[in-house]
Amino acid sequence: MNTPEPILFCWSGGKDSAMALHTLLQQKHFRVVALLTTVTEGYDRIAMHGVRPRTPSGGKAESLCLPLHEVSIPRNALIPSYEARMEEALRLFYNQGVRKVAFGDIFLETSAPTARKNLARSA
């Protein structure tokens, strides 16, 4: 039997993200190693949807027994600041052998180029 490939899931806390994660967790050839999310400094909320990551409504990672890796970003973060912090987080997982990242984003077509650029810099 083949060993499932480790994959990092970028978690926004929204329904598209939850649906994509649900589908991914059913795949036998992948093993989700962690959820990666951005949290706005000073608000302690997931940047994309504003939920608190450690509360019952936002604490999905804990209920799924998956580690949650939070990337703190400043309020009104500019793209270079966001990219630098995401690159640091992605490099951490790359150094642990993770070579794939999954997203559940309804706007993936517009965000994919930035995500690919960050992933390439992390390698």
Side-chain angles (χ1 to χ4, degrees), residues 15-83:
K15 66 181 179 293
D16 297 323
S17 189
M19 290 174 63
L21 177 60
H22 173 74
T23 300
L24 186 59
L25 289 171
Q26 294 177 27
Q27 306 299 311
K28 295 187 186 321
H29 54 282
F30 289 116
R31 177 179 54 85
V32 178
V33 297
L35 304 183
L36 179 70
T37 194
T38 53
V39 176
T40 306
E41 294 171 352
Y43 291 109
D44 193 34
R45 294 179 180 270
I46 294 175
M48 186 61 67
H49 292 289
V51 297
R52 294 189 190 276
R54 290 172 293 282
T55 63
S57 62
K60 306 293 189 294
E62 187 176 295
S63 68
L64 293 167
C65 299
L66 290 170
L68 178 66
H69 184 89
E70 296 179 12
V71 177
S72 293
I73 58 171
R75 277 187 251 176
N76 303 317
L78 298 176
I79 295 297
S81 173
Y82 169 83
E83 288 179 348

Side-chain angles (χ1 to χ4, degrees), residues 105-116:
D105 186 346
I106 196 168
F107 299 111
L108 187 58
E109 286 184 30
T110 56
S111 60
T114 300
R116 286 190 187 105

